[in-house]
Amino acid sequence: MNIVVCVKYVPDAQADRTFSVDNTTDRAGVDGLLSELDEYAVEEALKIAEANDGEVTILTIGPDRAADALKKALQMGAHRAVHVNDAAIHGSDAIATSLVLAKAIQKLDPQPDLVLTGMASTDGTMGVVPTMLAERLGLPAVTYASELTVADGKVSVRRDGDLASQTIEATLPALVSVTDQINEPRYPSFKGIMAAKKKPVDTWTLADLGVDAELVGLTAAWTTVESFSARPPRQKGQIVTDEGDGGSKLAVFLGEHKFL
Amino acid sequence: MEAAEFESVLATVRDFVREVVVPAEDEIEETDEIPTRIREQAKAMGLFGYAIPEEYDGLGLTMSEEVRLAMELGWTTPSFRSLFGTNNGIAGQVVAKNGTPEQKQHYLPKFASGELVASFALSEPEAGSDPSWMRTSAKPDGDGWVIDGAKQYITNATRADVFMVFARTSGERGTTKGISVFVVPADAEGLRIGPNDPKMGQRGSSTAEVSFDGVRVDASTLVGGQEGVGFGAAMKSLAKGRLHIAAICVGLAQRMLDESIRWATASRQGETRIADFQLVQGMLADCHTEIYAGRAMVLEAAREYDEGTDQRLAPSAAKLYCSEMVGRVADRAVQVHGGAGYMHAVPVERFYRDARLFRLYEGTSEVQRVIIAKAITRSR
């Protein structure tokens, strides 16, 4: 079984994230990492591959430093990686991203039986790329999986809603996006870290994929970030001193703020 | 190991310690045990074999690398590193440095994977700081040996599959010659492991008495295949272990400073953060300065260890300084926390108790001073 996992290199959410002058995500000033939500997809792929004698390919689009995200996934145990790296991709929206991912997946040999993704990226948090990608590849899309089994040429997926859970089946090949409830991603083992450097990583450009540079990047994006501003700093809390009337002061406060 | 790979190892261990072990600290304190899930993850990562040579499936870290790893491990409860400390350290190194090729081939890969837990059985009631006074003996018996005696405070005894047992095979008590070391299976007939010792701190680590009543072992269990290598093997293992412990102390001291900074910047007296009081600032600054000195000392001692220029004096000096330093940092950390520092609810209360052991094991501060003083006055 051949599995492709699409992953994203994102700015560390623990750091002070900001934007560049062109209103795209600032990647230079902040440390990046493999998106935590994608680690669940990598873990799920590894589990399926281990049970089915499969092979896991990690695919990312991003600048040079995005190689770190691939390295982490290879250290976890993935077999090979593909890095689509082309300056023209800078500023691409979800539509262009799904186009490049689709072209890269179509170039893979052998073709995957299963495409896995996280439920969203931790920076953009749109969660639309998986279905766009499935549409471009002509694959059934099953999203937000919190449980996934593969058997007899089918995937069976549990989707947990607020009030009920659904079980959905799709025939392979298929695309599945997974949630952070599906597993507990492993830590790379020391042996995995040592083995990762010997694993093959292909680097492809837009030309390698036959994608017209006009179709991607900031100028081709259907949406643009017009402006941004930092969240205002938290206001100092109001301290109510109890001088025998603490209860009524509290009631007044709650009333004024329409909590009562 | 390439620098980039080692940085990945450090980053992985740092993440694991902070994301998995730190949140379990209260559970470890309550249950006095490392949860199975953490033990299994530590095994899968390879933590049981970071210091075992690469040809025996370990990571074969240099001392300079090992101390940096130890500083990361030190950032949480010391009982976590104790879980795999004997496999990599004092017990595993006895086989790695002194074993026959067959013993290395048989044991080291199993130590590295965590399949076997190894324990180092040297200390006795009248022979702790000075092992030459040990009473445990091994007498020839046909083609094997019979071991009699008792050991105390043996780390990981209750978890061990094999013990490195130090026993006198010849010579007078009080002399260093004639001490041999055997690899004894924990299930050997006549070997009895006592209950887990109740301790002041480091809950989750395990120590116990181990006694030997006519324990018969094969000739193949004699480490190195020859008698008398025990004292030298113990001293070599302990010197390496001392440097490791010094690095653990630096890591724990850093954690206590991090906790104290967090506390001091979040807590107020009236409208003033306690971190803005100069007497509190003084304590934080002293901690930072001493930790910086300890870290620099450990890294330099490790460099000398790797280059072979000093494998005895520098480990003792680093262990002496860092174990005393972590005690001073623990004391200030409790002080910075004020009354809360005395409560079980804050980590520094627990670390204050944990830290006390570092001045006692792997050679007391007094033993380190004697080693250092002897070495620096010998040639004068």
Side-chain angles (χ1 to χ4, degrees):
Chain A
M1 162 153 311
N2 289 297
I3 307 168
V4 173
V5 187
C6 304
V7 303
K8 189 173 182 186
Y9 177 75
V10 297
D12 187 348
Q14 308 289 327
D16 288 330
R17 294 180 293 181
T18 184
F19 292 88
S20 303
V21 284
D22 63 357
N23 289 359
T24 60
T25 310
D26 175 24
R27 294 175 183 277
V30 186
D31 279 345
L33 41 74
L34 170 62
S35 172
E36 280 103 335
L37 288 171
D38 294 340
E39 285 189 19
Y40 297 93
V42 174
E43 175 65 31
E44 199 61 21
L46 294 175
K47 283 165 70 173
I48 297 168
E50 282 158 7
N52 296 279
D53 196 21
E55 195 170 281
V56 177
T57 301
I58 308 296
L59 168 62
T60 198
I61 305 172
D64 293 352
R65 288 170 72 188
D68 285 353
L70 297 177
K71 188 168 83 174
K72 173 81 182 279
L74 292 172
Q75 290 175 344
M76 287 172 74
H79 300 82
R80 55 187 290 244
V82 174
H83 184 175
V84 182
N85 187 355
D86 194 312
I89 297 172
H90 171 80
S92 290
D93 62 0
I95 292 163
T97 301
S98 64
L99 172 68
V100 178
L101 286 174
K103 291 290 184 186
I105 289 172
Q106 283 163 346
K107 189 175 155 72
L108 291 173
D109 181 30
Q111 280 291 289
D113 304 292
L114 181 62
V115 179
L116 287 178
T117 71
M119 59 191 265
S121 60
T122 55
D123 55 354
T125 60
M126 290 173 72
V128 296
V129 168
T131 40
M132 288 179 175
L133 176 59
E135 182 67 21
R136 291 189 187 276
L137 292 172
L139 297 180
V142 190
T143 53
Y144 299 104
S146 53
E147 199 177 280
L148 169 60
T149 49
V150 179
D152 307 325
K154 287 179 190 163
V155 282
S156 176
V157 159
R158 198 186 77 226
R159 290 175 114 230
D160 292 332
D162 287 341
L163 298 172
S165 293
Q166 303 169 318
T167 300
I168 295 176
E169 226 176 55
T171 50
L172 294 175
L175 179 144
V176 178
S177 77
V178 305
T179 73
D180 56 359
Q181 301 302 306
I182 195 163
N183 56 41
E184 198 58 56
R186 69 194 64 185
Y187 287 83
S189 70
F190 300 159
K191 286 211 171 87
I193 289 169
M194 307 280 275
K197 67 174 176 187
K198 299 187 191 97
K199 292 176 177 173
V201 178
D202 291 318
T203 304
W204 293 341
T205 61
L206 289 178
D208 294 328
L209 301 180
V211 173
D212 184 348
E214 298 284 308
L215 297 175
V216 302
L218 200 52
T219 50
W222 288 26
T223 54
T224 54
V225 176
E226 291 290 319
S227 65
F228 62 88
S229 56
R231 185 184 296 175
R234 266 168 68 175
Q235 300 296 309
K236 204 174 167 187
Q238 181 187 340
I239 296 171
V240 177
T241 311
D242 180 17
E243 291 159 345
D245 55 353
S248 45
K249 278 183 182 166
L250 201 57
V252 169
F253 173 87
L254 292 172
E256 277 174 358
H257 291 81
K258 303 203 183 331
F259 290 122
L260 288 179
Chain B
M1 179 177 287
E2 286 175 19
E5 283 180 319
F6 182 62
E7 291 305 322
S8 288
V9 167
L10 279 186
T12 302
V13 171
R14 186 179 308 136
D15 286 348
F16 183 72
V17 162
R18 292 169 192 229
E19 293 164 6
V20 177
V21 187
V22 168
E25 284 175 353
D26 288 337
E27 180 187 352
I28 292 167
E29 184 72 6
E30 273 168 37
T31 59
D32 199 10
E33 189 52 82
I34 304 293
T36 308
R37 63 177 194 281
I38 292 182
R39 181 195 300 227
E40 290 306 315
Q41 276 178 289
K43 257 193 210 177
M45 279 174 72
L47 277 169
F48 280 77
Y50 58 76
I52 304 285
E54 261 186 286
E55 62 262 44
Y56 301 107
D57 297 345
L59 209 51
L61 294 186
T62 63
M63 204 62 220
S64 296
E65 291 166 337
E66 182 178 331
V67 294
R68 291 186 63 203
L69 181 74
M71 288 178 198
E72 296 297 339
L73 295 170
W75 207 79
T76 183
T77 169
S79 61
F80 175 58
R81 52 80 41 194
S82 181
L83 177 67
F84 40 79
T86 50
N87 272 35
N88 286 292
I90 45 181
Q93 294 303 318
V94 167
V95 178
K97 290 210 160 76
N98 305 93
T100 62
E102 294 75 29
Q103 287 167 339
K104 290 180 185 178
Q105 202 61 53
H106 181 73
Y107 287 110
L108 293 179
K110 295 188 174 87
F111 293 168
S113 68
E115 182 187 335
L116 292 182
V117 172
S119 179
F120 180 83
L122 175 69
S123 291
E124 297 183 11
E126 291 175 27
S129 291
D130 186 355
S132 68
W133 290 95
M134 72 172 55
R135 288 185 184 278
T136 300
S137 67
K139 298 207 164 55
D141 177 53
D143 59 350
W145 298 85
V146 173
I147 303 173
D148 282 286
K151 303 288 182 179
Q152 72 174 4
Y153 310 145
I154 304 306
T155 301
N156 282 337
T158 59
R159 298 166 175 151
D161 299 291
V162 291
F163 290 91
M164 304 297 140
V165 180
F166 292 81
R168 183 168 290 288
T169 48
S170 65
E172 292 297 310
R173 282 183 68 220
T175 62
T176 57
K177 287 184 180 146
I179 296 174
S180 302
V181 55
F182 300 85
V183 191
V184 181
D187 60 2
E189 204 175 326
L191 188 156
R192 202 185 62 82
I193 299 159
N196 197 6
D197 298 324
K199 291 184 288 294
M200 176 194 285
Q202 302 216 357
R203 286 174 62 80
S205 72
S206 138
T207 63
E209 281 185 20
V210 183
S211 63
F212 306 86
D213 182 11
V215 175
R216 199 181 182 290
V217 292
D218 295 342
S220 66
T221 63
L222 181 63
V223 171
Q226 53 178 323
E227 293 176 50
V229 303
F231 192 82
M235 291 306 117
K236 266 192 270 179
S237 265
L238 284 171
K240 191 174 192 296
R242 283 168 185 155
L243 199 37
H244 176 91
I245 293 296
I248 294 286
C249 291
V250 171
L252 184 62
Q254 185 62 52
R255 170 71 183 282
M256 289 191 282
L257 176 58
D258 292 345
E259 292 285 342
S260 300
I261 293 168
R262 198 165 62 175
W263 182 271
T265 52
S267 312
R268 289 169 190 277
Q269 282 294 295
E271 299 206 328
T272 310
R273 298 188 318 166
I274 67 165
D276 293 330
F277 292 117
Q278 286 193 330
L279 292 178
V280 172
Q281 291 177 344
M283 288 192 275
L284 297 175
D286 284 351
C287 289
H288 176 82
T289 305
E290 290 198 59
I291 294 167
Y292 192 83
R295 183 179 292 115
M297 197 170 181
V298 167
L299 292 173
E300 172 64 8
R303 188 189 63 74
E304 287 225 60
Y305 191 96
D306 286 335
E307 288 184 3
T309 49
D310 183 354
Q311 296 192 334
R312 184 164 162 77
L313 182 60
S316 279
K319 198 267 180 182
L320 172 62
Y321 179 79
C322 293
S323 63
E324 303 263 336
M325 177 275 285
V326 75
R328 291 191 293 273
V329 169
D331 193 74
R332 290 187 204 113
V334 169
Q335 198 69 18
V336 167
H337 280 69
Y342 200 68
M343 303 295 158
H344 285 320
V346 299
V348 296
E349 179 274 338
R350 171 160 41 80
F351 293 140
Y352 180 85
R353 288 181 283 113
D354 293 345
R356 191 62 184 84
L357 180 59
F358 292 119
R359 285 157 60 192
L360 302 170
Y361 74 170
E362 229 96 336
T364 60
S365 290
E366 290 67 35
V367 164
Q368 309 308 336
R369 288 186 172 99
V370 168
I371 292 170
I372 295 163
K374 271 189 185 164
I376 59 178
T377 55
R378 189 175 293 145
S379 57
R380 302 293 170 94

